[in-house]
Amino acid sequence: MTTWVSGLDAHIAPDVGRSVLVVIDTQVDFVDGGAWPIPGTTQILPNIARLLAAYRDAAAPIVHVVRLYDGDDVDLLRRAAIAAGAPIARPGSVGSQIAPELRLPDAPDLDAPTLIAGHVQHLGPHEIAVWKPRWSAFYRTGLDQHLATLGVHTIVFAGCNYPNCPRASIYDASERDYRVLLASDAISGVEQHHLEEAGRIGAVHACSDLIIQVLTHDHGS
C-alpha cells in the first residue's frame, strides 16, 4: 500500500491498490441534453472517464451503480413524477444508459430486467453494473457481497450528484468499515463543506490525478 497522505490514521488511509471504483448515476438522462440533467454532471465526465481508463488499464474493479425508474418502486420524492409519465431513466430507454463517454466501445446496453431482478450485469472484464432502487448504492443491492468476493476494502467514489446518492453511499460504505476515498473533481454537486463533513466520518478526498498516480504506482504500471 502506498502511504500517500501524511499523518492519516492507518485505519482510514485509502489503499488504492486494493480499491474498487464506484461510479454513481452517470446516465444519459442526468447529463446535459437528458430528461433530468443534474447541474455540473456533464462537466465532470472527463475526469470520470480518466479514472475509468486508469482502472481498466490496471485491471482493477469498477462498479457502475444506476437508477431505473418504473412502477411504484421509486423514492417518494420522484414517485409522483414517475407515475405521471416523466421520461426519467426508464428501463430500456436511451436516457437510462450509461453516458457514452464512460462506456467501453463494446459494452452492452444496460439489461433492465437483469438489473431490476437484483443481479449484476457484466460490462467488461472487470466491470459490472448494479441497480439501486433508492439513494444508497448499498440499499437492496448485492454491492457489499460483490465487493467481498473481490477482496477490496477501499472504495473510490465518483459520479452524480453528491448531496443525494454519493453521500448516502459514502455513509453506508463507512458503516460497513470500508475505507472511503472521494474523487473530489469527479463528483457533481460537491462543495468544500461536503468534503469537510465527509471527513468527520473518516472519508478521505483527493483529485483524480492523484488517485490515478497512486493507482498506477500500486499496480506497477
Side-chain angles (χ1 to χ4, degrees), residues 20-212:
V20 57
L21 175 62
V22 173
V23 184
I24 297 176
D25 294 353
T26 50
Q27 293 160 265
V28 171
D29 273 342
F30 303 133
V31 302
D32 291 354
W36 196 281
I38 304 297
T41 301
T42 295
Q43 288 70 29
I44 60 154
L45 291 181
N47 290 335
I48 298 176
R50 292 190 308 107
L51 283 167
L52 285 166
Y55 270 76
R56 288 164 181 158
D57 288 346
I62 297 166
V63 178
H64 297 268
V65 186
V66 300
R67 280 296 187 104
L68 296 169
Y69 291 118
D70 195 29
D72 293 329
D73 197 2
V74 177
D75 46 271
L76 294 177
L77 178 65
R78 295 176 183 153
R79 193 166 296 179
I82 298 303
I88 308 168
R90 292 289 186 169
S93 68
V94 172
S96 72
Q97 302 301 319
I98 294 168
E101 300 94 323
L102 308 183
R103 296 176 58 168
L104 286 165
D106 56 350
D109 286 347
L110 295 179
D111 183 340
T114 294
L115 293 168
I116 292 173
H119 305 302
V120 304
Q121 180 185 357
H122 292 272
L123 302 179
H126 306 279
E127 195 163 342
I128 67 164
V130 173
W131 170 68
K132 61 176 177 59
R134 298 295 186 275
W135 310 113
S136 172
F138 291 92
Y139 179 75
R140 283 174 45 201
T141 74
L143 179 59
D144 198 22
Q145 296 92 323
H146 177 71
L147 298 187
T149 69
L150 297 176
V152 301
H153 58 64
T154 295
I155 302 178
V156 177
F157 282 103
C160 165
N161 119 62
Y162 183 86
N164 296 350
C165 299
R167 175 158 52 188
S169 302
I170 287 161
Y171 273 81
D172 276 1
S174 176
E175 288 182 345
R176 289 163 173 79
D177 292 334
Y178 289 102
R179 304 179 192 206
V180 176
L181 176 56
L182 284 64
S184 56
D185 58 351
I187 304 175
S188 59
V190 70
E191 299 183 11
Q192 184 60 37
H193 72 273
H194 293 137
L195 301 177
E196 294 169 357
E197 174 188 75
R200 297 188 192 117
I201 63 165
V204 179
H205 66 271
C207 67
S208 299
D209 283 343
L210 180 55
I211 296 170
I212 291 167

Side-chain angles (χ1 to χ4, degrees), residues 57-58 215-221:
D57 288 346
L215 178 72
T216 302
H217 178 275
D218 284 2
H219 281 266
S221 300

